[in-house]
Amino acid sequence: IPSKDDSAVDLSNLDAGAAAPSAGGSSSGGSGYGKGGGAPHLNIYFDFYLLSQPGKSGSQGSGLSFNNIHHFFLVEATAGPDIKFMTEIRDEPRFYELDYQFTRWFQLRLGKIWIPFDDLVPHNQFGGHMNVSRLRPTATPSGATSSAAYLPDLWSEMGVAGKFNLIDREKFQLEGHLYVVNGFGSGGTDPANPTGGLQYPQFSDAGIEALDNNREKAIGSRLHATIGQTLGIGTSYYSARWTDKDKPKRSLEIGGADAQLYFNRLEFRFGYFNFGVKLPTGASAATMNRPAYYAETTYKIGSKRNWKALLFTGGLNGDNR
């Protein structure tokens, strides 16, 4: 995060040779690599909650519980300043990618890569600070249908991407991304007609684990600018076919905009996101929209700014027909 104070990190002095990964939006310019050797670099993320979810049912319980929403173990290995491999430690990793820095302005990314959309590090924030499946209600108040995933817990997909460091000046940085991935598939349940048998897109982790269900690829792009180390502005776009190859073609498009403001200890973030999804013949509408937003304010506390107070809000609509 751009900073004018002593909390800024000089990446060139890191012995490990690599910084913690960004999900594709906010960087402080440059290639993101240090000058060190190939020693492994370990990042570990873990959380601990006192959790009350009265609306939950079944195995989730409805009591007051100590809980772990998710744990995330990430390993980075570098081979010089230009090559980096990252993966999740898990039986079936949801994320693994190889990054190769061809030039100062161009990086190639291969594997099951982070989707560079908004400010996802590593979870999306739409509807709240962390929109993950463990925090999602299992049923609506009426008990009619389960609450569908808005996005995968970790939005990563098989494919290839290019990261472009377009402008890197002291007062202005501009970063761009282009990528081609498998895209979302079918397999979801239409909440407006759960027993109708029509195809519906799958937006959970399961929807991106399988092989592509058609021969058309999803394409996407992102552009993010940082101005005067104070203002960040980003726009993102994603387009894919989600229906099976033997079904009529139906596509989805996703657009988003995000902004960040940095004032010494004070930070503001905002993001807006919307799906436009074409539905099969026989659905209750020809198309649907899935809007979402988040807004948050952060204040860093302490002489070394190791603590922060966070206030956030958000909302989302999984299917607004």
Side-chain angles (χ1 to χ4, degrees):
I1 295 172
S3 176
K4 299 178 181 178
D5 54 56
D6 57 3
S7 66
V9 176
D10 183 0
L11 297 181
S12 64
N13 289 332
L14 292 179
D15 292 335
S22 167
S26 51
S27 74
S28 56
S31 67
Y33 288 90
K35 304 299 182 183
H41 182 70
L42 215 63
N43 287 306
I44 298 176
Y45 182 85
F46 175 83
D47 57 20
F48 184 77
Y49 279 74
L50 177 60
L51 184 65
S52 174
Q53 290 184 277
K56 283 284 189 178
S57 60
S59 60
Q60 294 290 343
S62 58
L64 186 66
S65 305
F66 292 112
N67 210 325
N68 171 233
I69 301 303
H70 62 279
H71 51 268
F72 187 68
F73 296 92
L74 177 70
V75 173
E76 297 179 3
T78 62
D82 298 328
I83 298 178
K84 178 169 64 173
F85 177 75
M86 298 175 289
T87 186
E88 180 187 19
I89 301 178
R90 185 178 166 131
D91 290 343
E92 297 182 2
R94 295 167 294 178
F95 159 73
Y96 43 87
E97 75 171 68
L98 177 70
D99 298 342
Y100 184 77
Q101 196 77 31
F102 276 94
T103 67
R104 178 175 175 82
W105 64 270
F106 175 68
Q107 181 188 81
L108 179 68
R109 304 169 58 219
L110 300 167
K112 195 169 186 184
I113 59 175
W114 297 111
I115 298 300
F117 210 108
D118 192 74
D119 210 8
L120 316 181
V121 190
H123 298 292
N124 78 87
Q125 301 179 73
F126 298 103
H129 186 56
M130 288 188 298
N131 181 23
V132 295
S133 56
R134 291 288 301 275
L135 293 175
R136 204 171 292 126
T138 54
T140 61
S142 64
T145 58
S146 296
S147 179
Y150 188 78
L151 281 173
D153 285 355
L154 292 173
W155 191 8
S156 57
E157 298 189 36
M158 289 297 300
V160 59
K163 178 181 176 182
F164 303 88
N165 189 31
L166 301 174
I167 301 175
D168 186 12
R169 302 184 183 279
E170 182 180 359
K171 299 294 185 181
F172 184 76
Q173 294 91 40
L174 182 64
E175 182 179 281
H177 298 260
L178 291 173
Y179 54 93
V180 179
V181 294
N182 284 340
F184 292 104
S186 61
T189 301
D190 185 345
N193 189 9
T195 60
L198 295 176
Q199 281 208 323
Y200 191 82
Q202 171 68 274
F203 299 112
S204 69
D205 286 344
I208 55 174
E209 292 294 335
L211 296 174
D212 199 353
N213 63 331
N214 54 63
R215 299 187 63 84
E216 299 183 37
K217 292 288 170 264
I219 58 172
S221 62
R222 174 165 171 79
L223 200 63
H224 186 272
T226 304
I227 304 168
Q229 296 184 328
T230 301
L231 173 64
I233 300 175
T235 60
S236 305
Y237 176 78
Y238 178 103
S239 177
R241 170 180 175 169
W242 64 267
T243 48
D244 296 347
K245 178 62 178 176
D246 61 345
K247 304 292 183 182
K249 180 178 178 179
R250 296 293 185 270
S251 61
L252 62 86
E253 294 184 338
I254 311 173
D258 57 279
Q260 306 83 35
L261 281 171
Y262 309 103
F263 297 112
N264 203 347
R265 293 175 180 261
L266 194 60
E267 217 174 274
F268 300 95
R269 293 177 181 270
F270 173 80
Y272 178 79
F273 193 93
N274 196 11
F275 283 77
V277 183
K278 294 184 178 179
L279 297 173
T281 302
S284 59
T287 61
M288 69 173 183
N289 293 307
R290 305 174 79 232
Y293 74 95
Y294 69 86
E296 72 172 43
T297 301
T298 300
Y299 187 78
K300 297 177 182 178
I301 301 171
S303 58
K304 295 184 178 180
R305 308 183 185 199
N306 290 336
W307 297 85
K308 67 179 181 180
L310 176 68
L311 178 66
F312 62 88
T313 184
L316 59 84
N317 194 321
D319 185 337
N320 74 350
R321 287 176 289 170

